[in-house]
């Protein structure tokens, strides 16, 4: 007897509503490789999708970073970094094999206001992945079919939709624990260090996402690496960011902001995507904290929402600013770009 296809499995009575939403048009229909999947592959694919989608929702968030083990002579681990707040994670795109989640913080005292936060894009069996190579530069690197089989890439973007890092890993669901673990990849300095430190230049990070009964956890095993001369690991840092489902805050602050700015941010994403050319490298020319770039891009969104700028005016201004502060010919000596060969373990 012929095995059921993924489309048949996903469109069973239990999943009919979700299927109509996700695969409701020809454009969003599952690809031939998904339709031809075995029942076991189909079930695993859907498990993976549900784990990714489970990260959406309203959350009370806690960020906890602690430097633990020093590797450089004379280095003393810094004090722990603790922070938190309320955050809405929205599914802004779902094409079956591609899911995009936008994070928006809700902050402030009596007067709450939104802060567009990071974005995570998930792609099934990617042919390439955007990776950080050092010196505020990124490269779209190919992924071999064997390395992509059954796996998902996660690409993380900053508040202005400029890139941060990407990696490819597999979701596992053993013993009822859904978690995604990639190999170590480089990423830029976090803002908490970018604004206060100049003693290291990249983070070699293992980035784990795990779904919990009341939300999810983002775990990080970070090695802070100095790139002056021979690479030198300074210290290991452990990060545990917990997202606990929580509705007792004004979620409309985030949703109203997104409703008023989503068309602008969709266009900004397209501008950045045009730089992500396979096999090429591009860089942000602002060294250190990129305030000169992200501040105006964030301001244009507010001006669109308030009516001070038309959507077309804001998109044109954003395109000009991104062109001003990016280059497709980063200086490999100044930037100390990571080579395309397999990375050295520090």
């Amino acid at each position: 007897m012929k095995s059921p296809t993924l489309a048949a499995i996903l469109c069973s009575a239990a999943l009919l509503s979700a299927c109509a939403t996700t695969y409701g048009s020809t454009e969003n229909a599952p690809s031939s490789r998904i339709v031809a999947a075995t029942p076991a592959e189909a079930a695993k694919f859907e498990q993976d999708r549900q784990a990714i989608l489970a990260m959406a929702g309203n959350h009370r968030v806690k960020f906890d970073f602690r430097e633990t083990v020093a590797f450089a002579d004379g280095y003393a681990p810094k004090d722990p970094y603790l922070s938190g707040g309320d955050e809405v994670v929205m599914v802004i795109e779902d094409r079956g094999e591609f899911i995009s989640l936008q994070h928006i913080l809700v902050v402030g005292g009596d007067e709450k206001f939104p802060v567009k936060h990071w974005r995570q894009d998930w792609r099934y069996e990617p042919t390439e992945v955007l990776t950080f190579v050092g010196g505020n530069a990124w490269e779209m690197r190919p992924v071999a079919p064997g390395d992509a089989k059954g796996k998902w890439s996660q690409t993380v973007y900053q508040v202005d939709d400029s890139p941060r890092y990407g990696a490819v890993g597999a979701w596992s669901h053993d013993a009822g624990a859904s978690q995604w673990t990639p190999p170590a990849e480089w990423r830029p300095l976090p803002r908490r260090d970018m604004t206060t430190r100049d003693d290291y230049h990249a983070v070699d990070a293992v980035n784990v996402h795990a779904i919990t009964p009341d939300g999810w956890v983002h775990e990080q095993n970070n090695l802070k690496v100095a790139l002056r001369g021979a690479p030198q690991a300074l210290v290991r840092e452990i990060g545990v960011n917990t997202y606990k489902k929580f509705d007792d805050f004004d979620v409309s602050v985030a949703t109203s902001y997104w409703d008023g700015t989503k068309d602008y941010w969709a266009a900004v994403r397209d501008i950045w995507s045009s730089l992500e050319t396979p096999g090429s490298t591009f860089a942000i020319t602002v060294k250190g904290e990129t305030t000169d770039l992200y501040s105006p891009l964030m301001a244009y969104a507010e001006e669109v929402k308030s009516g001070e700028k038309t959507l077309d005016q804001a998109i044109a201004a954003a395109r000009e600013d991104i062109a001003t502060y990016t280059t497709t010919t980063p200086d490999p000596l100044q930037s100390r770009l990571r080579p395309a060969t397999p990375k050295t373990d520090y």
Side-chain angles (χ1 to χ4, degrees):
M1 187 173 70
K2 186 177 179 181
S3 298
T5 66
L6 175 64
I9 292 171
L10 296 186
C11 289
S12 64
L15 294 175
L16 184 59
S17 149
C19 181
T21 300
T22 305
Y23 304 122
S25 69
T26 302
E27 179 184 359
N28 292 342
S31 69
S32 57
R33 68 180 173 185
I34 296 300
V35 171
T38 67
E41 290 170 336
K44 172 63 164 55
F45 170 76
E46 185 59 23
Q47 264 191 306
D48 295 352
R49 272 181 42 80
Q50 293 307 316
I52 295 168
L53 293 170
M55 288 187 278
N58 310 321
H59 305 89
R60 172 62 53 85
V61 187
K62 293 182 180 179
F63 307 108
D64 185 342
F65 291 91
R66 299 170 186 268
E67 294 188 350
T68 57
V69 181
F71 294 101
D73 186 37
Y75 183 90
K78 310 300 183 191
D79 291 337
Y81 174 86
L82 303 173
S83 175
D86 298 324
E87 185 155 293
V88 178
V89 182
M90 303 177 180
V91 180
I92 61 171
E93 195 168 354
D94 181 359
R95 301 197 304 267
E97 296 170 68
F98 175 83
I99 299 171
S100 183
L101 304 176
Q102 177 64 59
H103 295 233
I104 299 179
L105 283 163
V106 175
V107 300
D110 293 336
E111 191 72 23
K112 300 294 185 183
F113 60 93
V115 175
K116 182 175 176 292
H117 207 193
W118 59 295
R119 183 178 105 244
Q120 46 175 321
D121 285 357
W122 294 85
R123 190 176 299 277
Y124 185 65
E125 294 189 351
T127 56
E128 63 266 330
V129 62
L130 189 66
T131 55
F132 178 67
V133 293
N136 258 11
W138 291 263
E139 183 174 86
M140 185 67 83
R141 291 185 174 169
V143 179
D147 294 334
K149 180 67 174 174
K151 298 178 181 178
W152 294 75
S153 65
Q154 184 209 42
T155 309
V156 169
Y157 295 85
Q158 312 207 63
V159 297
D160 57 1
D161 286 318
S162 61
R164 274 194 59 75
Y165 56 87
V168 178
W171 280 93
S172 65
H173 308 282
D174 299 335
S178 293
Q179 49 191 347
W180 178 83
T181 307
E185 290 286 358
W186 273 14
R187 64 175 63 174
L189 272 64
R191 181 157 289 116
R192 65 181 184 276
D193 284 353
M194 184 74 77
T195 55
T196 59
R197 298 180 60 170
D198 60 3
D199 58 342
Y200 78 100
H201 310 95
V203 179
D204 202 22
V206 176
N207 172 37
V208 179
H209 288 251
I211 309 304
T212 65
D214 60 357
W216 55 286
V217 177
H218 181 194
E219 300 171 89
Q220 301 176 42
N221 188 333
N222 300 330
L223 198 63
K224 298 182 177 181
V225 182
L227 298 178
R228 293 191 183 96
Q232 170 64 58
L234 295 187
V235 67
R236 176 176 291 125
E237 175 188 70
I238 302 300
V240 180
N241 300 336
T242 57
Y243 290 74
K244 185 174 182 179
K245 294 208 176 286
F246 180 73
D247 294 315
D248 193 15
F249 66 100
D250 191 354
V251 174
S252 69
V253 172
T255 56
S256 175
Y257 171 83
W258 191 248
D259 288 343
T261 63
K262 62 184 178 182
D263 291 340
Y264 164 78
W265 286 117
V268 170
R269 294 197 300 274
D270 287 343
I271 297 169
W272 283 112
S273 293
S274 68
L275 296 171
E276 299 174 4
T277 305
S280 67
T281 301
F282 72 94
I284 296 174
T285 57
V286 182
K287 299 303 178 185
E289 177 71 348
T290 59
T291 308
D292 289 347
L293 175 56
Y294 74 72
S295 290
L297 295 185
M298 302 288 281
Y300 301 149
E302 294 290 349
E303 290 171 344
V304 168
K305 187 173 184 296
S306 67
E308 295 176 58
K309 269 188 171 62
T310 66
L311 179 61
D312 288 345
Q313 288 172 334
I315 293 170
R319 182 176 288 108
E320 181 177 349
D321 283 349
I322 291 172
T324 298
Y325 291 110
T326 58
T327 177
T328 55
T329 56
D331 180 351
L333 295 178
Q334 180 182 13
S335 302
R336 297 196 57 79
L337 302 184
R338 184 181 199 157
T341 52
K343 69 182 182 65
T344 301
D345 290 324
Y346 301 119

